[in-house]
Amino acid sequence: MFNEARKLINTNAHIYIERLAEAVAIRSVSTDLSCRDDCFAMADLLHRWIEELGGSSDKVLVGFQELDDGSRYDLPPVILAEFSAGKPRQKPTVLVYGHYDVQPAAEADGWSTDPFTLSEVDGKLYGRGSTDDKGPILAWLWAIEIHRELELELPVNVKFCLEGMEESNSECLDDLLERESKGGFLSNVDYVVITDNYWVTTDKPCLTYGLRGLATFHCEVKAGTQTLHSGVYGGCIAEPMTDVIQLLAAVSEYGHGDIGIENCGRKSATPITEAETELYKGITFDAEAFRHEAGDVPALLGENEKEVLMNRWRYPSLSIHGIEGGYSGEGFKTVIPGAATGKFSIRLVPGQDGKAVEESVKAVLEKRFAELKSANKMTVTSTSSKAWLADPRCPLYQSGAAALLKVYGVKPDLTREGGSIPVAGLLQEKLGVETMLLPLGQSDDGAHSENEKMSKRNYLQGVQVLFTFLGEIARAHE
Amino acid sequence: MFNEARKLINTNAHIYIERLAEAVAIRSVSTDLSCRDDCFAMADLLHRWIEELGGSSDKVLVGFQELDDGSRYDLPPVILAEFSAGKPRQKPTVLVYGHYDVQPAAEADGWSTDPFTLSEVDGKLYGRGSTDDKGPILAWLWAIEIHRELELELPVNVKFCLEGMEESNSECLDDLLERESKGGFLSNVDYVVITDNYWVTTDKPCLTYGLRGLATFHCEVKAGTQTLHSGVYGGCIAEPMTDVIQLLAAVSEYGHGDIGIENCGRKSATPITEAETELYKGITFDAEAFRHEAGDVPALLGENEKEVLMNRWRYPSLSIHGIEGGYSGEGFKTVIPGAATGKFSIRLVPGQDGKAVEESVKAVLEKRFAELKSANKMTVTSTSSKAWLADPRCPLYQSGAAALLKVYGVKPDLTREGGSIPVAGLLQEKLGVETMLLPLGQSDDGAHSENEKMSKRNYLQGVQVLFTFLGEIARAHE
Ligand SMILES: [Zn+2]
Ligand SMILES: [Zn+2]
Ligand SMILES: [Zn+2]
Ligand SMILES: [Zn+2]
């Protein structure tokens, strides 16, 4: 049926694109409360499409946000949907996770086209959400539709968990997963597939088996309630900005390449095994291109491509993201902010314990702050989500690899990512089953940036990859 | 004539306020090019008023700004105006400096009233420029007008230098002063009075005889041209933000109370003499109120009120104003900026050499940057303007003090300021005559803040102070 599916996808291409345009046109920006109705509209559209394709869909309300002024906003629903295979209960169940909310976007940010009008230019489909994550979740629906059109029974049960708050820390998803995994909708899932990341390059597909976790830190130092002028107050008060600079310098003093804080550095990462080293061997990765994409930085940390990838995927790193408070615009303003907050994070890797990282960082901050003998008040808040690692030799990954090989004609690379997708670890942990990241988009898709796109090829081949994968995992499970 | 003037001021009060309203309504924001026409309109208004009062006025064009796109904007003119005393050449000449441009203001910044509509509330005249510096320059004009209305000859020649780029670094003023002081309009000036600062308290007038200078530093570290995601690049590149933090920490590491860089710290300030200590004795200053105005900071640096004032006025201080680059908003964004610029400044005091300060700071930055062994590129730019100090025992100050005593019934405090008004040092240096800062507004006027105001009392009494001062300086000069 592979070739029939291909033909059908070619025939239907313009319909798939029109539907993606319809989805992109809905401003489902979860971080922007003025777009909350659009988030609900987007859930309605998916709900309708799923039911039209013969699935059952439930829009589950998970809670609300309450603002300081007491006003409440319902959270966008999580869609829990199901398509049954020919003989339910005898076939395995694949759970697909995706999200229908998007990052904010405005033409003024530097978009070449209206971000909420899908625009095809040179084979690329530009628009907010095209690749993150509306395109991929739509590709799943059309992969199911093809079974109907070709009058095929689904080879596996397919469940969907599509949330509308992913770009806003997946608020309340945790509770829902906890509830539904204990005898609920998610209790009989055999495999989890997440389509919400990207290839490592622009031309070679991959499957992703590992992610770094993330510990975030807000370190606030407060003197008073007002922004002061350094001509009037300079020399008369202990300045919060100076304190924050010293604190950030203390956590980052080890310099480039490692973190000098107990429980945080390379020493606390799981040692590299031979099997792991083996996985890096065939990977297609052009460090020079990577350096160029990074805005032509003068150098990469790492002696060779394997080391660069390991720095990116399996070693911890500390980044200082910025300081809230003071003057951060162009030019010069002689202000003394009344408070300043340093924001930094540590990417966590297997072997590291988030709580231990949080405690160790706080200890360094507290020690340094005590040394400063400042009259000000320091407050540190932190969060952490741990790294995630799957076994890329299990049947799930083999099925994904087989599907990609059939569609693209190459064996996909088995890769990890330096970023965090907390839901991967969460699902694997709550459901206790193997989880796979199966990206459809390319490295240059620009999720979260201006001019986000999904290549038409990746969208359409993506439908075929997912169609093929369902057959492969059914066979592998037998 | 003191009482006649008082009566006249009371009679004219509403006219003075209407005219201030007319001036405040003109959005002469020099930093905002879209307001450039308003700056010219403001110059026209002053020009007209001066001529109506019998003065001669010249709107001198001083140059233009050129933008990156090649477009040019004329700089607002400097008004050089003159009112002659009864018998010119036999009477001394007082030069008044002021500026008619204002800081930006928008109701959205937190103004309780429209910033460009003068609004009287509880005896306070709210509006952008009310106290900085439109109110004070208008008070000078009405002080001259009173002489006409009372049919008095002016006791001294009064010249005005009113610029429209003060809030934008007085661009091109330097050249004009150089030109006009050498045989030009400013060549026969005997005294300089600047009305562009504020009392140290809300209720006691003062005369200001010293200002700190300012050295400013931009320290940029650049890696590449793009903002990166720490999930993708964290660990793979030397991050500019980390470098900048280490650099700022190095310049500020000495902590609160002094600067640990050669040529920059307290040791490089002129030692305190007994005569100077004497000047601090009668000064009305409430440190607790000052601490409260600073936004209730937990403590002031300084054991007593004299020490706090000295920290503020006669010792150097280093402030870090902020970092350009990275994420400085609320919440959290895991960005790695491609470049980051640390901005800080040092308030300079008599005894310190701006160039030496600039060089010493650069040396510390370069040394630390070399230690970091970063692949990035550091660029440091700096400026400096030196501190200014006058002799508060000279006739100019005695005349100012006599006028304030007559109007307010108290001997004014002789004070310094921690801020910089570069034109004070510039005028004193170019013209080689004594210069005095004669503030009309109060400590809580909020120049540069939202809800800037001038108290109606200060505005009207200000007219009388200036009227009286002209008689006093004429007598003192005899
Ligand atoms: Zn996503
Ligand atoms: Zn996203
Ligand atoms: Zn001013
Ligand atoms: Zn000003």
Side-chain angles (χ1 to χ4, degrees):
Chain A
M1 287 291 129
F2 186 82
N3 289 325
E4 285 84 346
R6 170 172 296 168
K7 264 184 232 154
L8 197 52
I9 290 167
N10 281 335
T11 310
N12 287 345
H14 68 282
I15 299 172
Y16 298 158
I17 292 169
E18 271 163 33
R19 289 169 181 170
L20 180 56
E22 197 178 337
V24 164
I26 300 176
R27 298 166 183 258
S28 51
V29 180
S30 58
T31 53
D32 182 347
L33 285 172
S34 75
C35 294
R36 192 50 56 87
D37 285 348
D38 303 278
C39 293
F40 277 84
M42 186 63 213
D44 288 344
L45 179 65
L46 290 170
H47 177 80
R48 181 161 63 79
W49 277 340
I50 289 167
E51 302 232 308
E52 284 171 5
L53 292 179
S56 65
S57 164
D58 206 2
K59 290 178 288 180
V60 183
L61 288 175
V62 288
F64 55 83
Q65 284 170 283
E66 188 161 350
L67 299 194
D68 290 345
D69 67 4
S71 60
R72 287 180 170 198
Y73 290 81
D74 279 324
L75 294 174
V78 175
I79 294 179
L80 296 180
E82 181 166 16
F83 292 89
S84 296
K87 291 177 186 168
R89 300 280 153 234
Q90 298 171 17
K91 303 268 174 73
T93 298
V94 172
L95 174 71
V96 174
Y97 166 88
H99 63 91
Y100 62 80
D101 61 324
V102 296
Q103 284 279 321
E107 216 161 332
D109 297 342
W111 283 75
S112 304
T113 57
D114 172 16
F116 296 102
T117 303
L118 191 75
S119 307
E120 185 174 341
V121 182
D122 292 338
K124 288 163 187 162
L125 304 168
Y126 290 93
R128 178 54 91 218
S130 56
T131 197
D132 181 21
D133 188 32
K134 290 176 176 177
I137 59 181
L138 265 52
W140 273 107
L141 296 184
W142 317 148
I144 287 166
E145 188 182 38
I146 289 170
H147 286 88
R148 271 170 83 94
E149 294 186 301
L150 296 178
E151 296 181 355
L152 300 169
E153 290 194 326
L154 275 180
V156 294
N157 301 298
V158 182
K159 289 190 171 184
F160 284 93
C161 172
L162 306 176
E163 68 157 321
M165 283 294 280
E166 198 272 344
E167 303 295 5
S168 300
N169 299 318
S170 297
E171 212 175 319
C172 292
L173 184 70
D174 211 331
D175 293 346
L176 179 82
L177 294 183
E178 175 68 23
R179 226 162 36 235
E180 296 296 338
S181 61
K182 300 252 162 65
F185 177 79
L186 301 174
S187 58
N188 57 349
V189 166
D190 300 287
Y191 303 101
V192 174
V193 180
I194 298 174
T195 46
D196 189 22
N197 70 316
Y198 310 93
W199 296 354
V200 176
T201 66
T202 57
D203 50 10
K204 192 174 179 192
C206 66
L207 294 170
T208 308
Y209 67 93
L211 294 165
R212 292 195 289 189
L214 183 67
T216 69
F217 298 87
H218 282 74
C219 173
E220 188 197 54
V221 176
K222 182 161 182 171
T225 52
Q226 262 167 258
T227 297
L228 305 173
H229 188 282
S230 73
V232 180
Y233 294 96
C236 300
I237 69 163
E239 301 184 14
M241 183 64 86
T242 307
D243 290 341
V244 165
I245 292 291
Q246 293 298 333
L247 293 167
L248 293 176
V251 296
S252 65
E253 82 184 329
Y254 208 81
H256 306 304
D258 203 354
I259 303 170
I261 302 170
E262 208 188 341
N263 297 315
C264 300
R266 289 179 167 234
K267 267 194 306 198
S268 53
T270 308
I272 301 170
T273 61
E274 231 169 90
E276 188 189 342
T277 308
E278 210 51 41
L279 285 170
Y280 284 80
K281 281 198 175 146
I283 292 179
T284 305
F285 175 65
D286 180 347
E288 181 55 23
F290 183 67
R291 190 186 68 73
H292 176 67
E293 282 162 26
D296 286 311
V297 297
L300 295 176
L301 300 173
E303 296 282 303
N304 52 46
E305 312 213 307
K306 189 187 82 184
E307 278 186 30
V308 173
L309 283 180
M310 285 193 167
N311 286 340
R312 186 179 170 189
W313 292 347
R314 65 105 57 227
Y315 283 120
S317 63
L318 182 144
S319 297
I320 299 168
H321 306 300
I323 293 178
E324 183 182 341
Y327 181 68
S328 48
E330 273 184 54
F332 208 86
K333 272 199 180 173
T334 52
V335 293
I336 301 173
T341 304
K343 298 177 186 181
F344 61 99
S345 67
I346 295 177
R347 294 284 166 182
L348 304 179
V349 297
Q352 290 187 316
D353 174 42
K355 284 294 153 222
V357 165
E358 290 181 63
E359 291 314 314
S360 302
V361 169
K362 281 180 193 172
V364 167
L365 292 169
E366 277 156 16
K367 177 166 174 286
R368 181 69 184 126
F369 192 65
E371 286 167 7
L372 294 176
K373 295 191 177 26
S374 167
N376 300 323
K377 189 168 179 297
M378 177 182 78
T379 313
V380 182
T381 57
S382 61
T383 66
S384 64
S385 66
K386 65 179 175 189
W388 164 76
L389 199 60
D391 177 2
R393 288 158 300 191
C394 72
L396 180 61
Y397 283 81
Q398 284 173 8
S399 305
L404 287 166
L405 177 61
K406 282 192 182 165
V407 176
Y408 282 105
V410 289
K411 252 184 84 179
D413 283 332
L414 289 167
T415 63
R416 290 165 73 162
E417 282 204 7
S420 307
I421 307 179
V423 76
L426 201 64
L427 284 167
Q428 181 160 303
E429 191 181 308
K430 296 265 188 232
L431 307 188
V433 298
E434 283 298 343
T435 297
M436 175 172 74
L437 265 52
L438 169 50
L440 301 186
Q442 295 158 289
S443 61
D444 63 352
D445 277 1
H448 296 212
S449 299
E450 53 279 18
N451 300 320
E452 175 182 347
K453 61 91 181 163
M454 186 170 210
S455 293
K456 189 171 154 182
R457 184 226 19 198
N458 286 55
Y459 180 44
L460 300 178
Q461 302 277 59
V463 176
Q464 185 145 21
V465 166
L466 300 176
F467 171 86
T468 310
F469 164 74
L470 292 176
E472 293 292 333
I473 187 69
R475 258 192 301 281
H477 192 78
E478 268 163 18
Chain B
M1 287 292 132
F2 185 82
N3 288 326
E4 285 83 346
R6 169 170 296 170
K7 263 183 234 156
L8 197 52
I9 290 167
N10 280 336
T11 311
N12 288 345
H14 68 282
I15 299 172
Y16 298 159
I17 291 169
E18 272 164 32
R19 290 171 180 167
L20 180 56
E22 198 177 337
V24 163
I26 300 176
R27 299 166 183 257
S28 51
V29 180
S30 58
T31 52
D32 183 348
L33 286 172
S34 75
C35 295
R36 192 48 56 90
D37 284 349
D38 303 278
C39 293
F40 277 86
M42 186 65 212
D44 288 344
L45 180 64
L46 290 170
H47 177 79
R48 180 161 64 77
W49 278 339
I50 289 166
E51 302 232 309
E52 283 171 5
L53 292 179
S56 65
S57 164
D58 206 2
K59 290 178 288 181
V60 183
L61 289 175
V62 288
F64 55 84
Q65 284 170 283
E66 188 161 350
L67 301 193
D68 289 344
D69 67 5
S71 59
R72 287 180 169 197
Y73 290 80
D74 280 323
L75 294 173
V78 175
I79 294 178
L80 296 179
E82 181 166 15
F83 292 89
S84 296
K87 292 177 183 168
R89 300 280 153 234
Q90 298 172 17
K91 303 268 174 72
T93 298
V94 172
L95 174 71
V96 175
Y97 166 87
H99 63 91
Y100 62 81
D101 61 325
V102 296
Q103 284 279 321
E107 217 162 331
D109 296 342
W111 282 75
S112 304
T113 57
D114 172 15
F116 296 103
T117 303
L118 192 75
S119 307
E120 186 175 341
V121 182
D122 293 337
K124 287 161 187 164
L125 304 168
Y126 290 93
R128 179 54 92 216
S130 56
T131 197
D132 181 22
D133 185 34
K134 290 177 176 177
I137 59 181
L138 264 53
W140 273 107
L141 295 184
W142 319 147
I144 286 166
E145 187 182 39
I146 290 170
H147 286 87
R148 270 171 81 94
E149 293 187 301
L150 297 177
E151 296 180 355
L152 301 169
E153 291 194 327
L154 275 181
V156 294
N157 300 297
V158 182
K159 289 190 171 184
F160 284 93
C161 173
L162 306 175
E163 68 157 321
M165 283 294 280
E166 199 272 344
E167 305 294 6
S168 301
N169 300 317
S170 297
E171 212 176 319
C172 291
L173 184 70
D174 211 330
D175 292 347
L176 179 83
L177 295 183
E178 175 68 23
R179 227 162 36 235
E180 296 295 339
S181 61
K182 299 253 162 63
F185 177 79
L186 301 175
S187 58
N188 57 350
V189 166
D190 300 287
Y191 303 101
V192 174
V193 180
I194 298 174
T195 46
D196 189 22
N197 69 316
Y198 309 94
W199 297 354
V200 176
T201 65
T202 57
D203 51 8
K204 192 172 178 194
C206 66
L207 294 169
T208 308
Y209 67 94
L211 294 165
R212 292 195 288 189
L214 183 67
T216 68
F217 299 87
H218 281 74
C219 174
E220 187 197 55
V221 176
K222 182 161 180 170
T225 52
Q226 262 166 259
T227 297
L228 304 173
H229 189 282
S230 72
V232 180
Y233 294 96
C236 300
I237 69 163
E239 301 184 14
M241 183 64 86
T242 306
D243 290 341
V244 165
I245 292 292
Q246 293 297 332
L247 294 166
L248 293 175
V251 297
S252 64
E253 82 184 329
Y254 208 82
H256 306 303
D258 203 354
I259 303 170
I261 302 170
E262 209 188 340
N263 296 315
C264 300
R266 288 178 166 236
K267 267 194 306 198
S268 53
T270 309
I272 301 170
T273 62
E274 232 167 272
E276 188 189 342
T277 310
E278 211 51 42
L279 286 170
Y280 283 81
K281 280 195 175 149
I283 292 180
T284 304
F285 174 65
D286 180 347
E288 181 54 23
F290 183 68
R291 190 187 67 74
H292 176 67
E293 281 162 27
D296 286 310
V297 296
L300 295 176
L301 300 173
E303 295 282 304
N304 52 46
E305 312 213 307
K306 189 186 82 183
E307 278 185 30
V308 173
L309 284 179
M310 286 193 167
N311 285 340
R312 187 178 171 191
W313 292 346
R314 64 105 56 228
Y315 283 120
S317 63
L318 182 145
S319 297
I320 299 168
H321 306 301
I323 293 178
E324 184 182 340
Y327 181 68
S328 49
E330 273 182 54
F332 208 87
K333 272 198 180 174
T334 52
V335 293
I336 301 173
T341 304
K343 298 178 186 181
F344 61 99
S345 67
I346 295 177
R347 295 283 167 182
L348 304 179
V349 297
Q352 291 187 316
D353 175 42
K355 283 293 152 222
V357 165
E358 291 180 63
E359 291 313 315
S360 301
V361 169
K362 281 180 193 172
V364 168
L365 292 170
E366 276 156 16
K367 177 167 174 285
R368 182 68 184 126
F369 193 66
E371 286 167 8
L372 294 176
K373 295 193 177 27
S374 167
N376 300 324
K377 190 168 179 297
M378 177 181 78
T379 313
V380 182
T381 57
S382 62
T383 65
S384 64
S385 66
K386 65 180 175 189
W388 164 77
L389 200 60
D391 177 3
R393 288 158 301 190
C394 74
L396 180 60
Y397 282 81
Q398 285 172 9
S399 305
L404 287 165
L405 177 62
K406 282 191 181 166
V407 176
Y408 282 103
V410 289
K411 253 184 83 179
D413 284 332
L414 289 167
T415 63
R416 290 164 73 161
E417 282 204 8
S420 306
I421 308 180
V423 77
L426 201 65
L427 284 168
Q428 182 160 303
E429 191 182 308
K430 298 265 187 232
L431 307 188
V433 298
E434 283 297 343
T435 298
M436 175 172 75
L437 265 52
L438 170 48
L440 301 186
Q442 296 158 289
S443 60
D444 63 352
D445 277 0
H448 296 210
S449 301
E450 54 278 20
N451 300 321
E452 174 182 346
K453 62 91 180 162
M454 186 170 209
S455 292
K456 189 171 155 185
R457 183 219 29 191
N458 286 54
Y459 180 44
L460 300 178
Q461 301 278 60
V463 177
Q464 185 145 23
V465 167
L466 301 176
F467 170 85
T468 310
F469 165 74
L470 292 176
E472 294 292 333
I473 188 67
R475 258 193 299 284
H477 192 77
E478 269 162 15

